[in-house]
Amino acid sequence: AIPVRSSRLPLLSDAMPAPAHLFPLIRNSEIGRICSTVCYCHHKHLCCLSHFAHSHFRYAPQRKFAALCKPKENFNQFIHARDYASTPQRFYLTPPQVNSILKANEYSFKVPEFDGKNVSSVLGFDSNQLPANAPIEDRRSAATCLQTRGMLLGVFDGHAGCACAQAVSERLFYYIAVSLLPHETLLEIENAVESGRALLPILQWHKHPNDYFSKEASKLYFNSLRTYWQELIDLNSGETTDVKEALINAFKRLDNDISLEAQVGDPNSFLNYLVLRVAFSGATACVAHVDGVDLHVANTGDSRAMLGVQEEDGSWSAVNLSYDHNAQNEHEVERVKMEHPKSEEKSLVKQDRLLGLLMPFRAFGDVKFKWSIELQKRVVESGPDQLNDNEYTKFIPPNYHTPPYLTAEPEVIHHKLRPQDKFLVLATDGLWETMHRQDVARIVGEYLTGVHHQQPIAVGGYKVTLGQMHGLLTERRARISSVFEDQNAATHLIRHAVGNNEFGTVDHERLSKMLSLPEELARMYRDDITIIVVQFNSHVVGACQNEEL
């Protein structure tokens, strides 16, 4: 069956036995809390409206499952409960074990001061991922543009499986790079292909060993990309390519190619199934292009980009460089309503989801929200048995009258970098669900500068004894020294996202428990987290700014 978002919501009471290996991790009275909150529906896309049977993904009537979904209890209550029925038994991960988990997927890249074309405004970047799903459905990419200027960095959040996020993470940067190439370079590349000569390298990738490419699909992907640049050659207007336009065109064209490849199919059964998996799953994308002082962020979905700004007094502030495309965005809701008849207004957005099912209002893939019913039936019926037997692919969304309901077109924001703009954070919503952007700006800023602005400890209404306050101050001092545990800003941010207690400090006990939770429970308390932290060279930015004045 098509891999789907790992969002099983078993009820410990009747759907499955509580996993035996869970109990050593949890104190006696906390078992009841987990059982009482196990129905909490944290999954943001297609999850709480569905039930899983074996590997098949099946939609079910919403009311049937609504009664099972309870508001999320404060996880801090679960972690910090003190009303134990007996003496607690503690089996925690040691600090080295915690560090091993947190650092398993970290990657860092330092940009050479002079890259052969210009002095870079980017000092380097740190990235990391922490899975909640198994396998992880997030992806990340970073590359330097070799035939034009600038760097590309992006995070991709998959749903209904990881296939679409994987494909987009491999392909999107090539589409953007080709869209930015001048006509002469496109001709040179096409002539090299025609004559069998070596191609000019377009991108220099900066990848963690786990960030793989699909070798089996490379020829198919190359042929689709070549068709795109051939069309760009034919449409040559002689004008300089606008970065915003190039980003929009690249996003839309890749999504169109994903759809077309699934419709046409492939004689190779493996590839045929692969392109269908990619098209029927989905992914959001948040991509940054940095060239000198010009920063463009193209966003499709609900991942986010945030700029970290250092104020004159040394404090840190956050500037949003993207907007979520979901029901919380009133402009996005109005856009969707404007694209469909008035008669559908009440059914377009239900329970904060598109057609009552999908949380993001923009995404790659997800052809179930783009193709006509006739096309969906034709592709499924003529596809491989794995597709035809899958209940998810055969399901038609309710009130499905005037597709497409979903688009991959990004919203692009352009920002001129200033010397006070110190870093950029790109992250999937697994981070933003747990941390406010202002806290993210402060934590990363303090990590990068090594300067910690101590604020009065806020206890948020809790009754705190003198001994407890001493403990909080001790934790604060330990938090400062813990900065030196991490050589990666993204790792440091994940440590805070997962381990922060109600007082805003990293609690090793909480961090250990969160990282110890088995797969069945981990996804119920957090999503996959993928982060890229880009550090800017303030001296170069300031010099470029002065040249433009």
Side-chain angles (χ1 to χ4, degrees):
I2 290 179
V4 296
R5 191 175 187 96
S6 179
S7 54
R8 301 182 67 180
L9 290 176
L11 295 178
L12 293 182
S13 57
D14 58 8
M16 60 172 287
H21 60 285
L22 168 63
F23 289 101
L25 306 174
I26 302 172
R27 296 167 178 161
N28 296 332
S29 68
E30 292 169 351
I31 292 294
R33 286 186 177 81
I34 288 186
C35 292
S36 68
T37 59
V38 76
C39 297
Y40 162 61
C41 188
H42 181 80
H43 315 332
K44 64 194 178 75
H45 291 292
L46 306 172
C47 47
C48 76
L49 309 178
S50 61
H51 177 65
F52 285 78
H54 306 293
S55 59
H56 292 283
F57 183 74
R58 178 170 62 86
Y59 287 92
Q62 301 171 13
R63 292 181 182 176
K64 176 180 178 181
F65 294 95
L68 302 181
C69 298
K70 299 180 180 180
K72 182 181 181 183
E73 288 188 348
N74 187 342
F75 188 70
N76 290 319
Q77 296 174 5
F78 156 62
I79 290 295
H80 294 285
R82 291 291 182 265
D83 53 333
Y84 307 123
S86 61
T87 303
Q89 287 185 322
R90 304 186 182 189
F91 297 89
Y92 300 136
L93 297 171
T94 64
Q97 289 173 324
V98 167
N99 286 340
S100 179
I101 293 172
L102 291 179
K103 298 181 180 185
N105 297 309
E106 69 179 14
Y107 179 84
S108 296
F109 178 76
K110 301 304 177 187
V111 177
E113 185 176 353
F114 186 74
D115 63 7
K117 291 182 180 292
N118 62 321
V119 179
S120 177
S121 59
V122 176
L123 283 174
F125 71 86
D126 293 335
S127 72
N128 202 351
Q129 293 183 298
L130 183 67
N133 292 294
I136 186 171
E137 294 177 340
D138 282 4
R139 294 294 187 271
R140 58 183 165 175
S141 291
T144 300
C145 299
L146 297 178
Q147 300 306 317
T148 55
R149 304 194 316 175
M151 286 190 70
L152 287 165
L153 308 106
V155 294
F156 312 93
D157 188 352
H159 50 266
C162 62
C164 189
Q166 174 63 36
V168 174
S169 71
E170 294 180 34
R171 305 177 68 181
L172 181 58
F173 286 10
Y174 281 114
Y175 280 72
I176 295 172
V178 164
S179 301
L180 290 168
L181 290 176
H183 184 252
E184 295 75 15
T185 307
L186 290 173
L187 281 174
E188 188 176 347
I189 293 175
E190 176 59 21
N191 290 335
V193 175
E194 281 288 335
S195 60
R197 291 184 284 111
L199 289 177
L200 291 170
I202 298 175
L203 295 172
Q204 177 189 355
W205 290 95
H206 312 299
K207 281 187 172 287
H208 186 279
N210 292 345
D211 301 334
Y212 64 92
F213 280 94
S214 303
K215 295 181 179 178
E216 298 84 358
S218 59
K219 184 177 180 181
L220 171 68
Y221 291 171
F222 176 81
N223 289 337
S224 293
L225 181 65
R226 184 185 181 189
T227 300
Y228 178 44
W229 81 52
Q230 287 173 336
E231 292 180 13
L232 291 176
I233 291 172
D234 294 338
L235 294 171
N236 174 43
S237 62
E239 299 178 0
T240 304
T241 305
D242 176 73
V243 175
K244 179 177 180 178
E245 182 182 356
L247 288 167
I248 293 173
N249 290 342
F251 272 63
K252 292 170 66 176
R253 178 54 183 249
L254 174 56
D255 191 55
N256 183 73
D257 283 352
I258 288 172
S259 175
L260 187 61
E261 289 160 2
Q263 294 176 49
V264 173
D266 193 280
N268 181 303
S269 59
F270 176 84
L271 279 180
N272 192 37
Y273 186 39
L274 174 64
V275 297
L276 289 167
R277 285 172 54 204
V278 170
F280 276 90
S281 58
T284 65
C286 188
V287 172
H289 178 266
V290 190
D291 180 11
V293 295
D294 290 303
L295 169 61
H296 289 82
V297 173
N299 183 55
T300 289
D302 50 12
S303 294
R304 293 181 192 171
M306 183 216 78
L307 193 65
V309 181
Q310 189 169 32
E311 304 297 344
E312 291 184 359
D313 63 357
S315 64
W316 296 93
S317 61
V319 176
N320 284 338
L321 291 181
S322 67
Y323 300 101
D324 293 352
H325 298 134
N326 55 29
Q328 279 65 54
N329 185 334
E330 294 180 4
H331 297 292
E332 191 67 6
V333 173
E334 286 304 311
R335 178 191 65 79
V336 172
K337 290 181 178 179
M338 289 288 291
E339 293 177 356
H340 298 276
K342 186 80 171 176
S343 58
E344 294 187 57
E345 187 170 316
K346 292 183 179 181
S347 61
L348 284 171
V349 180
K350 283 188 172 182
Q351 298 180 339
D352 287 344
R353 288 169 168 78
L354 186 66
L355 297 181
L357 296 173
L358 193 65
M359 182 68 84
F361 286 10
R362 304 192 195 193
F364 286 90
D366 281 324
V367 294
K368 296 194 68 60
F369 296 86
K370 297 173 181 176
W371 288 355
S372 67
I373 294 176
E374 294 73 19
L375 178 58
Q376 290 189 44
K377 289 182 177 178
R378 178 177 65 78
V379 171
V380 170
E381 290 171 0
S382 62
D385 292 340
Q386 301 102 308
L387 187 74
N388 200 28
D389 293 341
N390 191 285
E391 295 182 31
Y392 164 62
T393 58
K394 292 190 290 186
F395 175 83
I396 302 298
N399 303 301
Y400 197 80
H401 306 298
T402 57
Y405 290 90
L406 193 65
T407 179
E409 180 173 344
E411 188 172 11
V412 180
I413 292 179
H414 175 225
H415 176 79
K416 284 280 188 181
L417 289 174
R418 308 158 299 173
Q420 62 265 39
D421 300 332
K422 301 300 182 181
F423 59 87
L424 173 72
V425 176
L426 300 171
T428 55
D429 63 346
L431 173 68
W432 310 112
E433 288 172 353
T434 60
M435 297 190 73
H436 189 274
R437 63 180 182 273
Q438 186 57 46
D439 293 326
V440 170
R442 177 184 56 80
I443 289 168
V444 175
E446 291 180 352
Y447 170 85
L448 293 177
T449 61
V451 177
H452 298 263
H453 292 268
Q454 304 291 10
Q455 301 294 329
I457 289 182
V459 296
Y462 291 88
K463 293 182 178 179
V464 180
T465 66
L466 187 60
Q468 288 172 326
M469 180 59 73
H470 177 266
L472 290 173
L473 292 169
T474 303
E475 283 183 16
R476 169 190 270 184
R477 186 167 57 188
R479 178 181 57 146
I480 296 173
S481 62
S482 75
V483 170
F484 301 103
E485 295 179 19
D486 300 318
Q487 286 75 48
N488 182 295
T491 302
H492 189 66
L493 195 49
I494 290 176
R495 187 185 299 274
H496 278 266
V498 179
N500 268 10
N501 58 22
E502 64 267 38
F503 304 113
T505 61
V506 175
D507 182 339
H508 175 74
E509 180 180 323
R510 184 182 199 280
L511 184 59
S512 174
K513 282 191 173 184
M514 288 292 282
L515 295 178
S516 302
L517 287 174
E519 178 188 331
E520 294 86 354
L521 289 178
R523 183 58 186 88
M524 300 173 64
Y525 289 103
R526 63 175 180 83
D527 197 356
D528 297 330
I529 300 175
T530 297
I531 301 171
I532 299 177
V533 178
V534 186
Q535 190 174 2
F536 298 120
N537 189 328
S538 299
H539 299 295
V540 172
V541 170
C544 293
Q545 193 179 53
N546 292 334
E547 289 177 6
E548 293 184 357
L549 294 178

